[in-house]
Amino acid sequence: MPARELQEQLDQLSEQLEKNQTLSLEEREDMRALMEQIKARMELENATADPSVADSVNLAVERFEVDHPGVAGALRNIVQTLGNIGI
């Protein structure tokens, strides 16, 4: 089930955030807010697709790709899963 896969990927991202001590407090807060946005969107599966969630995750991938590749990798998986479930 894609929703379960997405939750697992969010859990992996959370683990990456805990492991990566080089992220600033602001970056951590931004990532946590993004994760909450994704979780809220998952709860509204019956609503129409909101491309801004996927766009936000894609922007986060670009932001973290160079300095935090583990976080960016977890985000890329989330983007793919969001696409698979139509978000």
Side-chain angles (χ1 to χ4, degrees):
M1 174 177 217
R4 185 175 346 143
E5 182 180 342
L6 180 57
Q7 183 58 53
E8 289 172 6
Q9 292 169 348
L10 287 170
D11 293 342
Q12 289 174 356
L13 177 58
S14 183
E15 288 175 20
Q16 285 290 327
L17 292 176
E18 293 303 316
K19 288 179 185 178
N20 192 326
Q21 299 302 314
T22 61
L23 288 169
S24 70
L25 180 58
E26 180 183 354
E27 290 171 327
R28 286 178 194 282
E29 290 174 358
D30 288 348
M31 293 308 306
R32 297 249 182 251
L34 182 57
M35 290 170 63
E36 289 303 316
Q37 184 180 9
I38 293 167
K39 288 177 184 178
R41 182 65 183 122
M42 286 174 50
E43 294 173 3
L44 299 173
E45 287 182 48
N46 59 345
T48 60
D50 182 3
S52 67
V53 173
D55 291 343
S56 295
V57 178
N58 276 318
L59 288 172
V61 168
E62 292 175 14
R63 178 178 173 189
F64 291 99
E65 195 163 33
V66 173
D67 294 329
H68 309 289
V71 171
L75 287 168
R76 277 198 277 312
N77 290 336
I78 290 170
V79 168
Q80 184 174 4
T81 303
L82 286 172
N84 291 342
I85 62 175
I87 295 177

